[in-house]
Amino acid sequence: MSLFEAIVLGLVQGLTEFLPISSSGHLRVVSALFGWHDPGAAFTAVSQIGTEIAVVIYFRKRIWAILSTWFRSLVDRELRGDINARMGWYVIIGSVPIVVLGLLFEEQIDSVFRDLRLIALTLIVFGVVLGVVDRYSRKHRSLEDLTVSRGLTFGLFQALALIPGVSRSGGTITGGMLLGFNRKDAAEYSFLLALPAVFGAGVYKLTDIGGNEYAGWTATIVGTVIAGVSGFAVIAWLMKFISTHSFMPFVYYRVGLGILILTLVSFGVLNPQGGAESQPGRGEVHAEETAPAEETPEATPSPEPSEEPSPEIPSVDPTTGWEIDPEVGLPRNPGTGLYYDPELGMDVNYDPVSGLATNPVTGEQYDPMERYETVG
């Protein structure tokens, strides 16, 4: 990932994290529109640390009151009824759903959940839900009315944000208004509730930065810093905006963006899975590998190279009509530069070092050549 990409994506992350329009969905969509690789779930998770630092700075007095009162309440029973002590427990309890579901569906979050069609649909559907709830809910409760069950319900709505396009703040605020909380308090609890989950996910994904991830350390750090600075400005603006305005502008934006994405995918302008691979420069590597492969027969006309590919491997895939790479056992998708598995009906990541392909749905690795060995 170039520094320019990191700056743009960091700015997108900061501007969209706290608005109910899905930051992870926007990172995915912006990358696809510019023809960049998918920045990956790791870059998304780590860059969100910057925006959560902005939350800590903006709500520093409230967070300090919650932490100090909660810790003191562990030994002082008289403080256990204090709203700040209770808030500490509500944040812990509300964080459980997203932690559990995030670990259970980690493979899907990194692969199938990043399909642009799914992102577009979630933008539209949950945008409409946000608009309906904002218009017809009573919104008569404040944070003083939080209970264990309501805190857990907030957490369940936050867990929906594991699917890019839902929006962490949008899902949580929608759940809060359904419970009768006013916009400002629902948003404040949404931001506080996100702290453990986002910091935890960011730290957990730190080990994935570099290596096979498209975004390296330098790009991730730059993106995280920019996300934090821009995110702080957005929090300050949003808390004032929702005090006197509804969420309808964001609803219209979500629906319009979702329709636009589906239209671009339908007309072939955007590949719904394009750039979903996390290996750096994969498309460029494939492009470089293709040219020598075509020149090899001319440069070495001797019959010896023809003995290397297995005779059972057809030269052309009968389903797509694309030429099959005899060393891999799969055809290459000319539109994406990735290897295509006709049995799965989708592009797959291929590691030339191990000779294994990765199923984008299950995350399992397999050897494409085994199907021909079985036949033989």
Side-chain angles (χ1 to χ4, degrees), residues 109-128:
I109 294 169
D110 290 343
S111 55
V112 68
F113 283 3
R114 303 182 74 78
D115 189 297
L116 289 178
R117 292 164 296 191
L118 178 60
I119 292 174
L121 290 174
T122 53
L123 280 170
I124 296 171
V125 172
F126 284 93
V128 173

Side-chain angles (χ1 to χ4, degrees), residues 133-352:
V133 172
D134 187 26
R135 182 177 181 84
Y136 295 104
S137 61
R138 291 183 60 191
K139 296 183 281 292
H140 60 289
R141 293 192 173 110
S142 67
L143 291 180
E144 294 283 346
D145 298 311
L146 267 176
T147 62
V148 172
S149 61
R150 290 168 183 162
L152 185 60
T153 303
F154 264 101
L156 290 171
F157 275 90
Q158 178 183 237
L160 293 173
L162 292 171
I163 305 175
V166 172
S167 170
R168 184 189 309 277
S169 62
T172 314
I173 291 172
T174 299
M177 291 190 297
L178 270 176
L179 293 171
F181 287 87
N182 64 66
R183 297 187 187 100
K184 189 173 183 179
D185 282 10
E188 180 177 336
Y189 182 60
S190 168
F191 299 154
L192 296 175
L193 184 61
L195 288 172
V198 174
F199 275 121
V203 172
Y204 179 71
K205 286 291 187 180
L206 278 174
T207 56
D208 291 341
I209 298 298
N212 290 332
E213 281 290 318
Y214 178 56
W217 274 105
T218 301
T220 301
I221 292 173
V222 170
T224 301
V225 171
I226 292 178
V229 174
S230 56
F232 183 87
V234 172
I235 295 176
W237 173 82
L238 181 65
M239 295 303 290
K240 293 180 180 179
F241 178 83
I242 60 178
S243 298
T244 55
H245 298 78
S246 73
F247 287 105
M248 290 310 297
F250 304 111
V251 173
Y252 298 140
Y253 174 81
R254 288 177 63 108
V255 174
L257 179 60
I259 293 174
L260 176 61
I261 295 171
L262 289 176
T263 302
L264 293 177
V265 169
S266 299
F267 284 95
V269 178
L270 288 179
N271 180 356
Q273 297 174 337
E277 74 283 2
S278 59
Q279 306 245 356
R282 180 63 57 87
E284 298 175 2
V285 173
H286 287 334
E288 293 173 1
E289 292 176 349
T290 302
E294 295 174 353
E295 297 172 2
T296 301
E298 298 179 5
T300 57
S302 63
E304 294 181 0
S306 63
E307 298 177 2
E308 296 180 2
S310 172
E312 280 79 14
I313 302 178
S315 60
V316 176
D317 175 57
T319 303
T320 61
W322 300 331
E323 183 178 354
I324 294 178
D325 187 331
E327 295 182 0
V328 177
L330 296 172
R332 196 190 302 277
N333 186 334
T336 63
L338 301 176
Y339 284 107
Y340 179 86
D341 191 326
E343 293 188 3
L344 297 178
M346 62 182 69
D347 292 343
V348 296
N349 294 331
Y350 178 76
D351 184 1

